[in-house]
Amino acid sequence: WRGDQLVDSGAFAALFVGSSANPAYGLTWWLNEPVDRDFAANTVPLSNSTDFWSEYGVIPDDMVMAAGAGNQRLYISAEHNMVVVRQADGVLRSLLSRRNDWSDVEFWRLLLAE
């Protein structure tokens, strides 16, 4: 801010590092990191939040995502110089059920189509 660094760069970088328990999740950020299909399918927060793990190579390697109720999304990819915000309706409906018909993979396929 006005030439002053507000967040320690090491602390900021730690947001985007997965753990041994879940390499696809940093500190409140979903990461485009390869995970075993069985692990992804049986890890409810991962399988309910995104389908990154279903098809690698579509989503930019450096992409990180914050996911919200009703399939709201905040995607960041430095490689593509993009910050994408997806507003959504049906938030209450999504909170009452676990149905997830949104596809991050298909969205990125359309977003990057030439």
Side-chain angles (χ1 to χ4, degrees):
W1 174 254
R2 297 183 181 175
D4 292 332
Q5 184 173 339
L6 300 178
V7 178
D8 176 75
S9 59
F12 187 76
L15 296 172
F16 309 110
V17 176
S19 68
S20 58
N22 188 346
Y25 194 71
L27 296 174
T28 71
W29 290 91
W30 289 104
L31 313 172
N32 188 18
E33 293 293 332
V35 295
D36 178 83
R37 286 185 176 278
D38 290 334
F39 172 80
N42 293 306
T43 304
V44 173
L46 178 56
S47 61
N48 280 353
S49 296
T50 184
D51 60 351
F52 293 169
W53 54 272
S54 68
E55 190 174 340
Y56 292 109
V58 175
I59 295 171
D61 291 339
D62 74 330
M63 194 277 315
V64 295
M65 177 190 81
N71 296 314
Q72 297 176 77
R73 296 290 194 258
L74 169 60
Y75 302 103
I76 301 171
S77 171
E79 174 187 344
H80 291 281
N81 198 29
M82 296 174 91
V83 174
V84 180
V85 177
R86 179 182 188 267
Q87 299 285 336
D89 61 4
V91 172
L92 180 59
R93 184 178 64 243
S94 77
L95 292 173
L96 296 174
S97 71
R98 294 183 180 233
R99 185 170 174 260
N100 186 357
D101 56 358
W102 174 256
S103 171
D104 294 297
V105 170
E106 289 305 314
F107 179 75
W108 274 93
R109 184 173 277 124
L110 293 170
L111 194 62
L112 297 176
E114 295 182 21

